[in-house]
Structure formats: structure tokens, C-alpha cells
């Protein structure tokens, strides 16, 4: 259990060094939002023979993108809190 937390903290520190915007764009937006929206739209197209480019498709894509950005922001804050609590409030000593 202890090694899991340590490796998780080390991975988060590497991710954190790349920055908030990189995390949101790569992990949240491209990694979850756009990918999920495209998969869902393609499934709807194949299963129901519905055109992908329509108002419902565009709305689905926009909603997934917005939710993925919100999800990324929430995850960032949660990981920052976890890092601070694991370092007894001394964030700089953990990062070094």
C-alpha cells in the first residue's frame, strides 16, 4: 500500500511539472472527452443508422468536451489536495 501511494505521488509530480493546461488538454480533453464523444457518435451511427453530423451530434460533442474539462479540473484539485495531505502540508518538500 505504501509503495502504491509513493509511486502515485511520483507520477503526479511528473504530471504536475508539465502544467495544468497540458493536463487538461492531453489527459482530459483528448484522452477522455473527444475520444468518448467520437466513440459514442460512431456507435449511434452504426447502431441506429443516424447521421453523425447533425444538431444532436454537435450538442453531444460539445457536452462531452465541457464535461471532460470540468472533470480534468476537479481531478487536478483532488490530486493537489492528496499531494498536500501526503506531505503534511509541506508541498515544496515533497516536490524536491
Amino acid at each position: 500500500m505504501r509503495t502504491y501511494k509513493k509511486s502515485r505521488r511520483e507520477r503526479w509530480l511528473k504530471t504536475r511539472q508539465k502544467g495544468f493546461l497540458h493536463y487538461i488538454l492531453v489527459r482530459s480533453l483528448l484522452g477522455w472527452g473527444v475520444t468518448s464523444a467520437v466513440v459514442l457518435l460512431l456507435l449511434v451511427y452504426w447502431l441506429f443508422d443516424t447521421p453523425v453530423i447533425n444538431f444532436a451530434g454537435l450538442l453531444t460533442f460539445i457536452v462531452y468536451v465541457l464535461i471532460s474539462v470540468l472533470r480534468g479540473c476537479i481531478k487536478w484539485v483532488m490530486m493537489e489536495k492528496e499531494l498536500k495531505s501526503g506531505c503534511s502540508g509541506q508541498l515544496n518538500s515533497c516536490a524536491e
Side-chain angles (χ1 to χ4, degrees):
M1 181 79 160
R2 189 167 183 92
T3 57
Y4 170 74
K5 281 192 173 189
K6 186 175 182 180
S7 66
R8 184 174 172 161
R9 185 176 71 214
E10 289 170 359
R11 281 184 293 149
W12 176 246
L13 289 173
K14 287 179 186 177
T15 302
R16 189 173 177 252
Q17 286 177 348
K18 294 176 184 174
F20 176 74
L21 188 60
H22 181 270
Y23 180 78
I24 295 296
L25 289 176
V26 173
R27 293 268 177 108
S28 294
L29 196 60
L30 294 176
W32 187 84
V34 172
T35 307
S36 299
V38 168
V39 168
L40 179 71
L41 290 173
L42 288 176
L43 280 172
V44 166
Y45 174 72
W46 286 327
L47 294 175
F48 302 110
D49 198 26
T50 307
V52 175
I53 309 297
N54 59 14
F55 179 73
L58 181 64
L59 188 62
T60 299
F61 189 79
I62 291 171
V63 167
Y64 268 80
V65 166
L66 292 175
I67 288 174
S68 70
V69 170
L70 180 63
R71 179 185 175 271
C73 292
I74 291 170
K75 183 70 173 175
W76 179 276
V77 170
M78 287 172 48
M79 292 303 292
E80 285 293 306
K81 285 184 180 181
E82 185 177 317
L83 181 67
K84 287 180 184 179
S85 68
C87 297
S88 303
Q90 298 175 348
L91 188 60
N92 293 333
S93 64
C94 265
E96 295 173 355

